Amino acid sequence: MLSLSNLSVTFTQYDRGLRRKQLRVITDLNLDVQAGEVVAVVGASGSGKSLLAHALLGILPQNAVMSGTMTFQGEPLTPHRCRLLRGKAIVLIPQSVGYLDPLMTVGPQVQRVAQLTGRTKAAAKTAVKKTFTRYGLPAKTFDLYPFQLSGGMARRVLVSTAVVTPAQLVIADEPTPGLHPDVVSETLTHLRELADAGRGVILITHDIAAALKIADRVAVFYAGTTVEIAAGRDFFTGKLRHPYTQALWRSLPQNEFLPVPGNQPNLEQLPQGCLFKDRCPWVDDLCREERPALRELNDGWVRCFHAEG
Amino acid sequence: MLKGDSLWFRYGPQLPWTVQNISLAVAPGEVLGIMAPSGYGKTTIGKLLSGYLPAIKGAVSVNGRSLPQKGYCPVQLVFQNPELAVNPRWRIRQILQEGGKLNLAQLAAFGIHPNWLSRYPHELSGGELQRVAISRILNSATRYIIADEMTAMLDANTQALIWQIVLDFVKKQQIGLVAISHEQRLLERLCDRILNL
Ligand code: SF4
């Protein structure tokens, strides 16, 4: 359905004194998503995972230059086509009710989203009411303002904004931080159901444990690049390929709670060689000089010279 | 000892009580976890203990004395969202200096890059700014820390990294820490004692 290959994004910024700075925010990113699957995109802040959503929605800032290829349903995804598809074939489930208009009740707002995809006013209203009922939202929710929603209700309203569209690709950007565990699992279940109904779902999150509850596959981002694409079960069977993915997994409180020290490299001056070399236990001269390409390994993908099955 | 004695709080005279008759105490060097269902006022408890909100009934004290009205509070609160905790018009250097002289070794441990110092908060990502907010309060004037979902928006590796530094500081300086979180397994890692409200 969706395929990205060697996507790179560079921001040009001007400092005081008009010194030009190039910020390489995404470097050779690869990802594909099929209908019916949940692909989780996990990584630290600054790993480029939210920018990926912006690229897919055609909302990168003016100073961004993009290279590489994106295709959606077999056709190139140009910034122009992104804008045409946005809200119709490709939708975003926003992070919080902060994205809704605070001065307007939520029913009409979701209805407006449904109308954008070509439904009549009456059909859109019916669709919204049906969706709210399906998610167990009381009928009066239609007439509530965003601030009147509890955390759990807010999540259901936000998921509804995707459900009332016929979108084939749904992007959920950080849908769970700081929520109560029950609300987290409910939100994840809703995303899983969207995929089971035949849509493709990209779940962007920093929370690997949450992602693993529903993801078919997990793409791990580091410093703007894909370092590994693994099946969800690879985490539990010790089949992880990249040292960073292994470190992320080890650092969970339910595992060893042991971090790798250090930081992602500075995007203004990406180092030569592998982007993970400063923190890697396996680094050697080859890694210091050359940047590894993404390669297939054990039914998954890894960007590392020394990863073995 | 930081003590909350029979604390009551509500956001308005007609509104239901958010915090009802909660008492707790944390000793220097102790790490206390607070687990509670949503809507139980965990965040409000954190704000009462750190003097952000005044209790309507009951009292908060450090070694028997109420919290100071002016100057640096010995009880420091860190929330989930750092944007709310820092002055948006200050540069990072100034924000950090609020907690005393810059401690370069500590900044390096937190991965705070020297070239962030001249930037403004909106020029850092949420995760980067959170490290600044935490580093700022790890100073000798802080005696108690209330960490309310402090690392909920960070990836697992950064979370573990930050807690390693904070726990080390807390043990060395004999600081009392209250960790408020939804995450049972995180609290089990961090705490000497967990309070289930
Ligand atoms: S390429 Fe080298 S430095 Fe990079 S992750 Fe693999 S072993 Fe580590």
Side-chain angles (χ1 to χ4, degrees):
Chain A
M1 169 187 286
L2 175 77
S3 164
L4 310 179
S5 97
N6 296 323
L7 187 74
S8 293
V9 176
T10 307
F11 289 169
T12 304
Q13 294 179 334
Y14 289 92
D15 260 1
R16 264 160 302 150
L18 295 184
R19 197 172 60 92
R20 216 159 78 125
K21 272 198 312 197
Q22 303 274 15
L23 223 54
R24 186 67 174 264
V25 290
I26 291 186
T27 306
D28 292 336
L29 192 83
N30 294 276
L31 187 72
D32 64 290
V33 182
Q34 312 299 335
E37 72 169 346
V38 177
V39 175
V41 169
V42 303
S45 78
S47 65
K49 58 192 196 308
S50 290
L51 289 167
L52 166 70
H54 296 176
L56 289 173
L57 295 164
I59 54 171
L60 286 172
Q62 288 289 332
N63 63 348
V65 177
M66 203 158 61
S67 65
T69 53
M70 303 203 277
T71 61
F72 181 65
Q73 295 180 323
E75 290 188 41
L77 199 51
T78 57
H80 176 67
R81 187 157 172 248
C82 286
R83 283 192 290 272
L84 289 180
L85 297 176
R86 180 168 82 220
K88 303 187 183 81
I90 303 180
V91 293
L92 175 76
I93 300 181
Q95 280 183 16
S96 78
V97 284
Y99 283 73
L100 297 176
D101 181 344
L103 301 177
M104 197 174 158
T105 55
V106 297
Q109 294 197 58
V110 182
Q111 184 182 328
R112 199 167 58 183
V113 174
Q115 275 172 251
L116 274 178
T117 65
R119 286 187 216 249
T120 63
K121 203 169 164 192
K125 188 162 186 176
T126 316
V128 174
K129 296 216 154 152
K130 235 175 83 188
T131 308
F132 279 8
T133 312
R134 169 173 162 205
Y135 287 138
L137 288 164
K140 68 167 184 2
T141 312
F142 199 89
D143 301 312
L144 294 180
Y145 288 92
F147 77 90
Q148 292 172 305
L149 304 176
S150 71
M153 288 170 82
R155 291 312 322 168
R156 296 181 209 169
V157 167
L158 293 171
V159 172
S160 302
T161 62
V163 173
V164 297
T165 71
Q168 292 98 332
L169 180 64
V170 175
I171 306 167
D173 191 6
E174 292 287 5
T176 58
L179 295 177
H180 185 267
D182 296 346
V183 183
V184 171
S185 20
E186 187 191 300
T187 305
L188 293 172
T189 307
H190 292 156
L191 294 175
R192 184 67 250 176
E193 288 168 359
L194 289 176
D196 292 343
R199 309 195 201 212
V201 175
I202 299 180
L203 165 61
I204 297 176
T205 180
H206 69 278
D207 187 344
I208 203 161
L212 286 172
K213 291 191 181 132
I214 59 160
D216 299 294
R217 293 188 299 135
V218 178
V220 182
F221 281 23
Y222 184 80
T225 197
T226 326
V227 292
E228 175 160 358
I229 300 176
R233 62 179 173 279
D234 294 349
F235 286 80
F236 304 99
T237 53
K239 267 182 62 185
L240 295 175
R241 300 158 189 82
H242 197 279
Y244 177 64
T245 318
Q246 294 171 357
L248 255 189
W249 180 241
R250 257 197 317 273
S251 65
L252 283 171
Q254 55 269 45
N255 297 336
E256 293 165 50
F257 203 45
L258 268 183
V260 274
N263 247 310
Q264 296 183 92
N266 183 353
L267 299 176
E268 280 170 41
Q269 295 158 340
L270 284 183
Q272 202 189 351
C274 174
L275 297 179
F276 190 61
K277 65 177 180 182
D278 293 343
R279 306 169 78 179
C280 185
W282 309 339
V283 61
D284 68 5
D285 286 345
L286 176 62
C287 313
R288 288 186 193 97
E289 307 234 315
E290 272 182 56
R291 201 166 284 168
L294 196 68
R295 63 182 168 101
E296 229 173 328
L297 182 67
N298 290 338
D299 303 321
W301 294 82
V302 67
R303 188 186 294 283
C304 169
F305 292 120
H306 303 301
E308 284 169 16
Chain B
M1 188 82 104
L2 168 66
K3 257 180 152 170
D5 238 340
S6 317
L7 301 176
W8 294 73
F9 186 84
R10 59 181 167 192
Y11 284 91
Q14 310 303 329
L15 294 175
W17 291 103
T18 309
V19 173
Q20 281 187 62
N21 199 21
I22 296 289
S23 296
L24 56 87
V26 58
E30 186 187 25
V31 181
L32 170 69
I34 298 185
M35 268 297 281
S38 263
Y40 215 92
K42 293 193 299 285
T43 291
T44 309
I45 294 172
K47 289 182 177 167
L48 293 174
L49 289 174
S50 54
Y52 266 74
L53 287 173
I56 290 176
K57 285 191 266 176
V60 173
S61 61
V62 170
N63 301 334
R65 278 192 232 149
S66 52
L67 299 179
Q69 299 290 319
K70 279 193 289 195
Y72 192 86
C73 183
V75 186
Q76 287 286 316
L77 175 64
V78 189
F79 327 86
Q80 181 178 338
N81 294 95
E83 295 79 12
L84 308 173
V86 298
N87 186 330
R89 281 189 292 268
W90 284 5
R91 291 180 194 272
I92 301 302
R93 176 189 307 282
Q94 200 178 354
I95 291 170
L96 286 167
Q97 281 168 340
E98 218 187 349
K101 241 179 65 191
L102 292 186
N103 176 341
L104 294 179
Q106 194 190 83
L107 297 187
F110 268 115
I112 296 175
H113 203 276
N115 72 14
W116 299 0
L117 294 177
S118 58
R119 299 195 197 162
Y120 288 100
H122 71 90
E123 296 175 297
L124 298 184
S125 73
E128 291 169 346
L129 196 55
Q130 185 68 321
R131 301 181 201 195
V132 170
I134 299 167
S135 171
R136 173 181 64 165
I137 63 156
L138 298 190
N139 68 67
S140 58
T142 300
R143 300 317 310 158
Y144 294 89
I145 295 173
I146 319 290
D148 184 3
E149 298 286 2
M150 181 171 86
T151 50
M153 55 177 282
L154 301 173
D155 67 282
N157 192 70
T158 311
Q159 164 170 278
L161 204 64
I162 284 185
W163 277 114
Q164 209 173 47
I165 304 170
V166 171
L167 288 181
D168 182 60
F169 185 83
V170 153
K171 291 293 168 208
K172 280 200 187 114
Q173 307 287 324
Q174 286 295 295
I175 285 170
L177 177 80
V178 179
I180 303 175
S181 176
H182 289 314
E183 278 206 54
Q184 173 107 29
R185 283 173 297 198
L186 176 63
L187 291 183
E188 283 165 4
R189 279 284 178 190
L190 302 175
C191 302
D192 304 313
R193 181 161 68 90
I194 297 179
L195 209 60
N196 272 299
L197 294 181

